[in-house]
Amino acid sequence: MAVLRKGQLAGYVGVLGACFVVATAAGWTSFAERIDNYAYDLVFRLNPPKNPPTHAIVLAVDEATFAKHGGVRRLRGIVGDALNAVAAGHPRVVALDVILSDEQAGSDDAGILSGLTKVKTVLNCELIPGGWEDPLPQFARLQAAVGHVHPDVRSGDGVSRKIPLEMTSPTVRRWALSLETFRLYQNAARIIESPDDLQVGDVVIPAKRADGRLLRIRYSPAGMPMISVNDLLRDPKLAARFENKAVFLGVTAIGAHDTMVSPLGDFLEGVMIHANAFETMADGNFLVSAGDLSVMAICLAWWLAAGLTFWLRSGWPAYALAAVWVLAAHALPVIFFRNNIVLPYFAPAAVAWLSIAGAASYQYFVVRRQLGRSETEKARYQEAIHFVTHEMRTPLTAIQGSSELMGRYNLNEDKRKQIAQMINSESKRLARMIQTFLDVERLSDGQMDLKQEPFAVQEIIDSCVERVRPLAERKQIVLHDAEAVSAEFRGDRELMEYAFYNLLTNAVKYSPANTETFVAWKRDGDAIRLSVTDQGIGMDAKELRNIFRKFYRTKRAEASGEAGTGIGLSIVEQIVTTHGGRMEVTSQPGKGSCFTMVIPVRWIIENPTPPISQSDALHFPKEVKN
């Protein structure tokens, strides 16, 4: 069974919808991207690749190499010596991450040219303003391929997580150094491309064109195998370790301009990053980013889960289940990562948290409001039962006592008639009390059908005045009627007559003897203001605020000693409101009260008797002839 009601569904869905929109929109912000990156790095550390690198090896120009072989100025000479030494190990391919685009004097280039003739080599290039910075022609004619060495240019935090497998100048496209190296390693003539992937030999690399052909690099915690150029030149036998391998030759000395951080927290130079990218392709264990539609579907699923949880459950079961959904949302990136899918962390987690917070808050405040309403209704019914049972006790006691007298004693005929009449009167009073109580409840619940019939306002006034006149005469209260009114009303005559009669009887009941009661009217546009004014004890501001509240009894009712349930005026107010009108009350302690019914009517003549103000009506009435 639903905790919330069907009528509350629109508001509930609206709140959850706003939470969903805000959370998903936030998931596409730069802040969310940073959070996603941090979460990715953490998940990466928790789930590193199990297989150590076996296809590539780094030949490093490190600090020791520079120190022993002439420093940075002799970089090309060192590279030439390294290429010739590597060739003795028969590597499958060598990737050279050293710039060979500028002219330099001297004979150091001879060693590079000699080495390029002995091994298949991929030379590097860089995209600069105006185009590609390629190797010099003497080197380019001996290269097996050329590849760019740019890391992910969109990484704003210095962490290398991905590498673009292609980059394009206005006229020329180049594949990445690692990809061209992998192509030669596979002995593939070309790279077959589609919108969603690249195929090199029998290996399909997931790299979408729409995403810039980005490849997520699987960095190994074991690190990439590495040999120093200095060690190789000192011990040529180390070249045997390069057999059938892809060798990445580059600078790893401190201060390399292309140093970045891996998700594992290691500082890696560009040549190490390219070697890891190659190893990722050679191992074939690729990470694929979840598509936008998949992310939206997951967010929607968590949104629905949060909504259904608090729609169908409440209390600790709902909060326990919500905690499960939140924990699951945080665990999703780990679960997906173990299945080689990278799922953003922020969007699903934000949707889970915000939707659950919105659903729980809505339920809390709605249920709290329902509870408050329930407590109010409970208090109202308790008050109603208290008043009704209190008022019923008097007629029931009279009926019970009278019936006992008739049964116990041999009464004369006059006495029996008197007692029978009293029983009949008290029974009718009890019936009216019950009917009044039922009427107020039916009006409150909207179960009372209103008739729609035309009738003259004057008929209501005349009928009620004639019925109240005997009560006024017994208390020696002078009842003044207003001038005749020519207006017609459409509605339920019985109810409107009951409402006006209630106002008149209250004015008489709650007024002291030897006073006056006035009936007056005033035109108010397409409405009539029908007033009843007494000279009773009046009411203060607090009583005026509560006068139409159910079962509220005023001080004037208690002072008059008149019996009542305190629901008559509540019925009057509901009848007038249901007919499209309103009630107004003015009163001051010791100066009497004026109750006014403002109801819409149809005026019979265009220019009726000039209307008089409510205050003037007390001074210009038409006295009823007794």
Side-chain angles (χ1 to χ4, degrees):
M1 178 180 288
V3 174
L4 300 174
R5 299 172 183 172
K6 291 183 178 179
Q8 299 160 342
L9 179 61
Y12 187 66
V13 172
V15 170
L16 284 180
C19 293
F20 180 80
V21 170
V22 170
T24 52
W28 267 263
T29 62
S30 58
F31 173 77
E33 184 179 6
R34 289 199 298 270
I35 300 299
D36 289 338
N37 287 337
Y38 298 151
Y40 174 83
D41 296 345
L42 177 60
V43 174
F44 197 101
R45 294 188 190 103
L46 295 175
N47 300 272
K50 296 180 181 180
N51 298 326
T54 58
H55 304 88
I57 188 169
V58 174
L59 184 56
V61 181
D62 54 8
E63 291 86 350
T65 302
F66 279 133
K68 293 290 185 180
H69 297 275
V72 177
R73 294 181 179 180
R74 265 211 85 240
L75 176 59
R76 286 193 180 179
I78 294 171
V79 170
D81 295 340
L83 283 174
N84 285 282
V86 166
H90 306 291
R92 194 179 296 188
V93 61
V94 174
L96 184 58
D97 185 17
V98 176
I99 297 296
L100 298 177
S101 58
D102 55 326
E103 295 283 354
Q104 290 186 2
S107 59
D108 286 344
D109 289 349
I112 297 177
L113 293 172
S114 173
L116 290 177
T117 61
K118 298 176 181 178
V119 293
K120 286 194 297 185
T121 307
V122 181
L123 300 185
N124 72 353
C125 61
E126 291 186 359
L127 184 61
I128 60 174
W132 287 100
E133 188 177 48
D134 290 328
L136 294 172
Q138 62 266 31
F139 302 124
R141 66 172 178 266
L142 297 176
Q143 68 189 17
V146 62
H148 76 80
V149 291
H150 294 281
D152 181 13
V153 294
R154 285 177 280 187
S155 175
D157 55 3
V159 180
S160 175
R161 302 177 183 91
K162 297 172 283 189
I163 189 170
L165 295 183
E166 73 170 11
M167 292 191 72
T168 306
S169 71
T171 56
V172 180
R173 180 185 67 179
R174 294 284 168 79
W175 297 115
L177 179 75
S178 54
L179 179 60
E180 285 287 10
T181 303
F182 182 65
R183 178 180 68 81
L184 295 176
Y185 186 85
Q186 292 287 97
N187 290 319
R190 62 190 183 93
I191 298 171
I192 302 173
E193 54 184 309
S194 72
D196 294 327
D197 52 52
L198 300 172
Q199 183 173 348
V200 180
D202 57 354
V203 178
V204 177
I205 304 170
K208 293 184 178 181
R209 178 182 297 157
D211 295 336
R213 302 288 191 192
L214 291 173
L215 171 71
R216 291 186 179 271
I217 304 174
R218 287 271 200 175
Y219 291 97
S220 173
M224 187 64 58
M226 183 174 63
I227 296 177
S228 169
V229 172
N230 180 59
D231 294 339
L232 176 62
L233 296 179
R234 188 177 56 199
D235 184 6
K237 293 181 180 179
L238 292 175
R241 295 179 56 184
F242 300 130
E243 185 175 2
N244 213 31
K245 300 277 188 181
V247 179
F248 284 80
L249 173 57
V251 177
T252 64
I254 295 175
H257 70 282
D258 54 358
T259 301
M260 298 184 74
V261 182
S262 76
L264 297 174
D266 301 323
F267 286 90
L268 300 178
E269 295 75 20
V271 65
M272 301 291 289
I273 294 173
H274 302 314
N276 276 278
F278 169 87
E279 192 67 37
T280 300
M281 290 181 272
D283 191 55
N285 188 20
F286 298 106
L287 288 169
V288 181
S289 297
D292 291 343
L293 291 179
S294 299
V295 175
M296 288 294 292
I298 292 170
C299 291
L300 184 61
W302 254 248
W303 176 75
L304 288 172
L308 290 175
T309 295
F310 286 93
W311 180 263
L312 301 175
R313 294 286 183 270
S314 64
W316 71 263
Y319 288 99
L321 191 55
V324 171
W325 292 126
V326 169
L327 292 175
H330 288 283
L332 275 178
V334 177
I335 297 172
F336 274 74
F337 192 92
R338 290 177 178 175
N339 290 277
N340 295 329
I341 299 175
V342 177
L343 179 72
Y345 167 80
F346 188 92
V351 168
W353 275 105
L354 204 56
S355 298
I356 286 172
S361 299
Y362 187 91
Q363 186 197 76
Y364 172 78
F365 288 110
V366 168
V367 171
R368 186 178 181 182
R369 186 167 63 247
Q370 290 175 350
L371 180 61
R373 189 181 297 120
S374 175
E375 292 295 329
T376 302
E377 290 294 320
K378 181 180 177 182
R380 184 174 67 85
Y381 278 107
Q382 286 177 342
E383 188 178 15
I385 292 171
H386 170 74
F387 277 111
V388 172
T389 53
H390 175 75
E391 299 300 331
M392 283 182 179
R393 188 179 295 118
T394 301
L396 285 174
T397 301
I399 293 170
Q400 182 181 5
S402 299
S403 61
E404 287 180 358
L405 287 174
M406 292 178 68
R408 182 176 300 179
Y409 301 103
N410 187 16
L411 304 175
N412 58 41
E413 188 63 25
D414 291 338
K415 196 66 175 178
R416 290 177 64 86
K417 286 183 178 180
Q418 182 182 356
I419 293 176
Q421 186 178 1
M422 185 176 65
I423 292 175
N424 180 267
S425 176
E426 293 298 325
S427 298
K428 289 180 178 178
R429 179 184 169 192
L430 184 60
R432 286 195 303 271
M433 192 180 299
I434 294 172
Q435 186 60 46
T436 301
F437 179 74
L438 292 176
D439 284 346
V440 72
E441 295 307 314
R442 290 170 61 197
L443 272 175
S444 298
D445 295 337
Q447 298 176 0
M448 183 175 286
D449 295 328
L450 296 176
K451 299 176 184 177
Q452 294 295 325
E453 56 184 7
F455 56 88
V457 175
Q458 189 62 46
E459 293 178 5
I460 297 292
I461 298 174
D462 292 343
S463 174
C464 293
V465 167
E466 290 302 319
R467 289 169 59 191
V468 174
R469 185 188 303 165
L471 177 62
E473 289 176 350
R474 285 198 294 270
K475 295 184 68 174
Q476 297 181 342
I477 293 175
V478 179
L479 180 60
H480 297 278
D481 193 5
E483 295 289 340
V485 55
S486 299
E488 186 180 79
F489 183 74
R490 175 173 289 275
D492 194 314
R493 174 173 178 153
E494 262 185 52
L495 291 179
M496 290 302 296
E497 186 172 330
Y498 171 87
F500 190 65
Y501 178 74
N502 187 282
L503 296 181
L504 276 175
T505 54
N506 283 348
V508 173
K509 282 194 303 182
Y510 301 138
S511 293
N514 299 310
T515 57
E516 295 179 295
T517 297
F518 301 87
V519 176
W521 67 269
K522 172 188 172 184
R523 181 171 182 175
D524 188 0
D526 291 332
I528 186 173
R529 303 174 67 89
L530 192 57
S531 304
V532 176
T533 307
D534 62 49
Q535 293 180 329
I537 66 171
M539 296 175 286
D540 57 24
K542 179 181 178 182
E543 290 184 300
L544 289 178
R545 286 195 298 269
N546 296 284
I547 189 65
F548 294 115
R549 186 163 61 86
K550 294 176 185 177
F551 309 112
Y552 180 76
R553 301 189 68 182
T554 62
K555 294 177 182 177
R556 67 175 188 163
E558 297 172 357
S560 68
E562 293 287 346
T565 60
I567 58 177
L569 285 176
S570 174
I571 296 178
V572 170
E573 196 266 343
Q574 290 186 60
I575 289 173
V576 173
T577 303
T578 306
H579 281 83
R582 68 181 187 275
M583 287 297 303
E584 295 179 357
V585 186
T586 58
S587 182
Q588 290 184 8
K591 295 184 179 181
S593 304
C594 179
F595 286 81
T596 302
M597 300 167 55
V598 184
I599 50 177
V601 296
R602 184 178 69 87
W603 296 95
I604 304 301
I605 57 177
E606 199 63 35
N607 297 305
T609 303
I612 52 180
S613 68
Q614 189 168 317
S615 60
D616 291 340
L618 299 175
H619 302 288
F620 300 97
K622 180 187 74 174
E623 185 175 336
V624 175
K625 295 179 181 180
N626 296 323

